[in-house]
Amino acid sequence: MRRMVWPLVAVASLALAGCNSSDSSQAADGGGTASAAHSVSGTVSVRGGDQPSASAKLEVSLVDVSQQAAAPLASKTIAPATSFPLQFQLDFNPANVAPNDLYVVKAELIDGERHYEMPLQAPVLTKGHPTTGVTIQLMPQQTPGEKELAAFEAVQKQLGAMKITNGTKLDTDVSYAWQVFRQGGQVQFIRARADRGDKGFANTDYAYKDGKPWVVVRQNKANQNAKPSSIDRAGWNDAGELVLKQHEVSGKDSPLGDDEAQSLKQRAEDMLKMATGGKGK
């Protein structure tokens, strides 16, 4: 039988080639993953199971947070965004990826005044973070009107610590009674009752900032002892913009008309003058 003899140089060359092939494969499977990827994909859900309206839109972007004010590596707007959970995919040029930088997916859902934002970051792509199966959960944020109403309710809880004065006034068709709450020499709050006899009764809370109407909440009733038939809420931010406008009937809210909100604001100004004898404080 003839024996095959391989030259030593050939054997060494094959062994070296095998090592190089193994090293290249490891590099491709390890640190080279980020540069090889050309997309990031995953799922966006809304905490609490909210299903936004037909006008909602979802904005998703891939951002390099290692670079200040860097343009997104990729971005996408999905509209309407009404059925969650919702799939997304962001495609990008791998040549634009810096392997040592940190990338995150940012997502925001906008539904009118309601915004849904991420409570936690979603790192992806580099430093061992995923490029697929990314899960993002969005949380509803307070609307501008809800923020003013929450601040108003916080002031309500502090009324017992304020200086209180009382007053009444009798007009031809309506009788008024009120309490004025002051702090630091300024009127912060007026709680008023208006009795119009057969035409109805109203309990109204007026809150002020720097002598100007801030939030007004009026409960409309058939009489003093009846349950509210409706509740109107209006509020203005520091710039004087109307941000809270709610009309509630049987626990259901609808937008309060601008004219009605303006009427409540004028009523708040008139009440401040009446309760302070025109001084406004």
Side-chain angles (χ1 to χ4, degrees):
M1 179 183 294
R2 181 179 296 178
R3 298 177 61 187
M4 301 243 347
V5 179
W6 291 88
L8 292 178
V9 174
V11 174
S13 297
L14 288 173
L16 182 59
C19 290
N20 288 340
S21 176
S22 176
D23 290 345
S24 299
S25 176
Q26 289 176 3
D29 292 340
T33 301
S35 60
H38 56 80
S39 68
V40 170
S41 61
T43 304
V44 178
S45 61
V46 176
R47 185 173 296 181
D50 287 4
Q51 294 299 322
S53 71
S55 63
K57 65 179 181 179
L58 177 66
E59 297 179 349
V60 189
S61 58
L62 176 60
V63 180
D64 183 351
V65 293
S66 301
Q67 306 293 329
Q68 291 186 352
L73 195 62
S75 61
K76 179 177 291 186
T77 298
I78 302 173
T82 57
S83 182
F84 287 84
L86 192 151
Q87 304 291 325
F88 72 90
Q89 178 172 311
L90 298 171
D91 300 319
F92 57 88
N93 184 352
N96 295 330
V97 177
N100 292 324
D101 284 2
L102 178 63
Y103 293 85
V104 301
V105 173
K106 290 187 175 181
E108 182 180 19
L109 178 65
I110 303 170
D111 187 10
E113 293 186 337
R114 177 79 64 200
H115 286 216
Y116 297 78
E117 299 178 357
M118 299 171 57
L120 299 173
Q121 280 194 336
V124 294
L125 190 58
T126 58
K127 303 181 183 296
H129 294 120
T131 58
T132 61
V134 180
T135 57
I136 294 174
Q137 190 174 67
L138 300 177
M139 289 185 60
Q141 307 298 304
Q142 284 184 321
T143 65
E146 287 171 344
K147 290 180 181 178
E148 298 300 334
L149 184 59
F152 165 84
E153 292 171 347
V155 172
Q156 279 184 316
K157 296 176 181 179
Q158 301 171 5
L159 294 181
M162 298 183 189
K163 182 179 178 180
I164 305 173
T165 57
N166 302 290
T168 59
K169 183 179 179 180
L170 180 62
D171 281 347
T172 304
D173 299 322
V174 56
S175 63
Y176 298 99
W178 62 80
Q179 289 181 309
V180 180
F181 300 83
R182 291 179 174 86
Q183 192 172 54
Q186 294 289 326
V187 174
Q188 305 294 322
F189 210 92
I190 296 177
R191 178 159 283 168
R193 296 181 300 171
D195 189 349
R196 294 179 174 83
D198 294 340
K199 294 182 179 180
F201 189 93
N203 282 338
T204 309
D205 284 348
Y206 303 93
Y208 301 86
K209 280 187 178 180
D210 301 322
K212 298 179 180 179
W214 168 35
V215 175
V216 179
V217 177
R218 181 179 64 191
Q219 298 182 37
N220 303 299
K221 303 179 177 182
N223 56 68
Q224 182 174 351
N225 298 319
K227 293 182 179 181
S229 57
S230 66
I231 303 175
D232 296 324
R233 301 180 182 90
W236 300 264
N237 61 17
D238 291 341
E241 300 167 330
L242 177 65
V243 294
L244 172 62
K245 41 184 178 180
Q246 294 179 354
H247 176 67
E248 179 185 336
V249 178
S250 301
K252 296 182 179 180
D253 291 341
S254 61
L256 181 70
D258 290 344
D259 290 344
E260 186 62 30
Q262 182 59 38
S263 176
L264 289 177
K265 185 176 185 179
Q266 182 62 56
R267 187 61 199 151
E269 293 172 350
D270 294 342
M271 176 56 68
L272 181 62
K273 292 178 181 178
M274 182 166 61
T276 62
K279 296 179 182 179
K281 61 179 182 178

